[in-house]
Amino acid sequence: MGRLVVVSNRVPAPRERNQPAGGLAVGLRDAVRGTESLWFGWSGRHTSQSKDQTPKLDTHESCTYATIDLTRSEYEHFYENFSNGLLWPLCHYRIGIINYKRLDYQVYREVNALFADQLAPLLREDDTIWIHDYHLFPLGAKLRRRGVKAKIGFFLHIPFPPWSVTRVLPCAEEMLREMAAYDLIGVQTAEDASNMNSCFEANNLPARAAHFPIGIDPVEFGEQAVRNVMAEEVQRLHASLRGRKLILGVDRLDYSKGIPERIHGYETFLNRYPEHKGETVLLQITPVSRAGVASYRALRRELDEMAGHINAMHGNFDWSPIRYLTQSVPREVLAGFHRIADVALVTPLRDGMNLVAKEFVAAQSPDDPGALILSSLAGAAPEMEEALMVNPYDHEGIADAIHAGITMSLEERQRRWQALHRDVTQNTAANWADRFLDMLRETERQE
Ligand code: F6P
């Protein structure tokens, strides 16, 4: 069997143990482990001239990492404006905040062409190519134009809306035509697959999307959680709670994660169930993300204000109801935090999958598991039916779910956790990659 060639905008640093948050890096690390592979993408660095560079190669274990630099202007138009100022909100059904500019689209296509120019010479005939995420929708078509004949699959880690929403994008038809170059497209849920196929059909293109929900490595994360309960940070957090229940939220600072709506739900809980005042702490860990995009900066200001308001209104001289952090916390410490949390609040307004929900389940103790509160609009929801399901726009529903979570009997927590844990253990990141790649290799090329 030939090599696996993975392509993504961000490439994890080969030797770095603490990889950036996000399902992509976590899920794919397992796919390349032990397989002869090449991982190609952006280095995270800027250059004054991106055209005549040669990719930097770094081989670690069985994988060669090949990265290229982008100019600041490419970064701005391709990554900030088109990928994250337009495609991200569109795919998360937020058409009210999209911002389309022809120049951004032109540079987005140019960067995809640059990726194709730099990657094509590194490819071998028997490679299987697997391209990831919305930054690179046109890359398959650009590789085909450069004569690449290998199987090319694509995986979208975020939601995909139906044609009635997608057609808002002025370049939707051209993008779909280019996406038809892929032999197979994987998405997270059956709903996303049906939406994407409806877009192909509306444009007289053959449907090629199927769903492959991504997972985690539950054994590794579970072991990390057990080990790190004794870590200094986790012990300090535990001591600082003084017996109060810990409600945990972990999300990149992103409007799709529903953080203001969640905090509103927590405030409603404090008002509606005053008997619990002083008995809970919401620890919301929200590392800053995409700070160059205006909507993310606006969200940051909003959250600063909300957290300050809740503590001022509801707190006391010896209790703050919310601890809100924008710094990132190392993954192993987070695993320990998940282990000691009584409730996880995972309430995105839309999410491709949401691996935090799965990580919480993997980290919990079977003897005394906490309760998972999950948005019905997360891609994880169809697989995790035993969670306390909420509509993230319903702050009263979130308040009631928090109350149910902190008062739930041990028996019910265990029953729910066992069912959730079974699913998280069955559908791992490694299985996910195998299922996609097996199907890709079996798919006949449609010209
Ligand atoms: O899952 C969506 C995604 O864009 C991934 O591609 C990425 O790893 C993660 O979110 C973090 O986003 P960014 O690369 O923009 O920081």
Side-chain angles (χ1 to χ4, degrees), residues 9-10 21-25 79 84 88 133-135 157-158 252 289-290:
N9 173 51
R10 266 187 214 279
L24 196 152
Y79 172 80
N84 289 314
W88 180 272
D133 248 353
Y134 54 101
H135 318 85
H157 292 255
I158 65 173
R252 278 186 309 103
S289 152
R290 304 175 189 164

Side-chain angles (χ1 to χ4, degrees), residues 18 20 34 100 109 131 136-137 149 152 156 159 186 210 213 246 260 263 270 302 337 362 370 389 392 395 412 428:
N18 232 337
Y100 176 80
R109 289 172 60 80
I131 298 170
L136 303 174
F137 280 134
K149 299 263 184 305
I152 312 183
L156 182 65
L246 174 63
I263 293 180
L270 296 173
E302 184 185 355
F337 288 177
M389 217 56 90
H395 59 98
E412 183 174 353
T428 62

